[in-house]
Amino acid sequence: MKTSDAYLSFVQWSPAERAYVAYCPNLFPAGGVCHGANAVEAFKHLQEIVEDTIATAKSKRLKLPPPRTRPMREVEVVM
């Protein structure tokens, strides 16, 4: 597992910006960090930013914030 895998990344459509906005709340708590014409483009760009942020922090011996956002738990469907 890569260090970046511990940090959840999100992509959502922003009607106000008329673009997909990608963000990683634990590394970038201020909000959206990149945009894309489609969700895949935005996600790929975000992953580059996350990987670069982690590499820079490691090279400068900076402490990374702990991953605090957890994925949703499995949902049990009751019928």
Side-chain angles (χ1 to χ4, degrees):
M1 180 173 106
K2 298 186 303 185
T3 302
S4 61
D5 292 340
Y7 294 97
L8 290 182
S9 298
F10 299 92
V11 178
Q12 69 180 23
W13 173 253
S14 171
E17 298 181 46
R18 301 190 69 185
Y20 287 89
V21 178
Y23 56 102
C24 179
N26 294 142
L27 289 179
F28 313 107
V33 296
C34 64
H35 300 80
N38 59 57
V40 173
E41 180 183 299
F43 184 78
K44 284 182 179 179
H45 187 61
L46 177 64
Q47 290 309 302
E48 292 171 2
I49 294 169
V50 168
E51 293 290 339
D52 183 58
T53 299
I54 291 170
T56 300
K58 286 183 177 182
S59 72
K60 295 184 177 188
R61 301 184 193 274
L62 300 173
K63 187 175 178 182
L64 288 166
R68 296 178 192 264
T69 308
R70 289 186 252 147
M72 291 177 54
R73 287 183 267 171
E74 200 171 308
V75 177
E76 182 179 330
V77 179
V78 179
M79 299 179 119

